[in-house]
Amino acid sequence: MLAKLFYQDIKSWSLNNHFDVVTYVPASQGHFKERGFDPVYELYADIFDLKKLLFKIDADKPQAQKNRLERMQTPQTFSALPGINNFQKNQRILILDDIYTTGRTLMYAHDIFLSYGFKNICTFSLSR
C-alpha cells in the first residue's frame, strides 16, 4: 500500500535523476521470512530496474527496536554479492532505502560500494 501511495512522487523524482545502476538496502533473511516480502524492494520495484547487489545478515534485533545510540553502535551487517563486480567503477550508483533515521544503514551500504572502487554513489530514502 505504501508503494502505491508514493508511486507518482517517486516516479517523478526518478525521471529527473539518472543513475546507471540502482540497488537497494535488502531485508535480512530473518526479516524476509517474518514478513514474507522485502519492504524496500517492494517500495521501488515498479519504478526502477533494481539490481540486488547487497546481502544483509540478521542483526541482534530489528532497527525499529533500537534507540539512537544502539543504532549507531550496530556493526556492519552488509556484504556485497558477486554481481557487484559486473559494473564499471565510474558508473553512477543509487542505493535506495525506506526510512533514514540515523543514516547508519545507508552509510554501511555506501561503504561497501566505496570499498569496491565506486566513486559516484548516491542514496535516496522515502522518509526521514
Side-chain angles (χ1 to χ4, degrees):
M1 290 174 52
L2 196 59
K4 289 179 184 175
L5 179 65
F6 289 102
Y7 176 88
Q8 196 56 52
D9 291 325
I10 298 168
K11 182 68 175 177
S12 294
W13 183 87
S14 75
L15 294 173
N16 292 315
N17 296 275
H18 172 74
F19 299 92
D20 301 305
V21 180
V22 181
T23 190
Y24 60 100
V25 172
S28 65
Q29 290 181 342
H31 286 148
F32 185 85
K33 280 183 179 179
E34 184 179 310
R35 293 182 182 124
F37 67 98
D38 185 322
V40 177
Y41 176 85
E42 294 299 329
L43 185 59
Y44 300 107
D46 289 340
I47 299 168
F48 297 98
D49 178 19
L50 297 175
K51 308 293 184 207
K52 186 170 183 180
L53 301 176
L54 300 170
F55 177 79
K56 184 177 181 184
I57 60 169
D58 286 312
D60 56 344
K61 64 182 179 179
Q63 290 285 82
Q65 294 177 9
K66 296 179 184 180
N67 64 36
R68 179 174 173 75
L69 180 61
E70 289 172 319
R71 287 173 186 237
M72 295 302 287
Q73 293 175 340
T74 299
Q76 169 69 281
T77 58
F78 290 103
S79 58
L81 293 172
I84 200 167
N85 290 314
N86 295 338
F87 300 97
Q88 297 174 5
K89 306 305 182 212
N90 64 344
Q91 289 184 298
R92 192 163 188 223
I93 307 291
L94 175 63
I95 307 169
L96 301 169
D97 200 2
D98 54 356
I99 300 170
Y100 180 109
T101 305
T102 64
R104 206 75 209 114
T105 301
L106 283 172
M107 287 306 301
Y108 281 148
H110 176 274
D111 289 349
I112 291 289
F113 284 93
L114 209 54
S115 73
Y116 275 80
F118 292 93
K119 303 271 188 274
N120 197 347
I121 307 162
C122 301
T123 64
F124 178 90
S125 59
L126 178 64
S127 176
R128 176 157 194 225

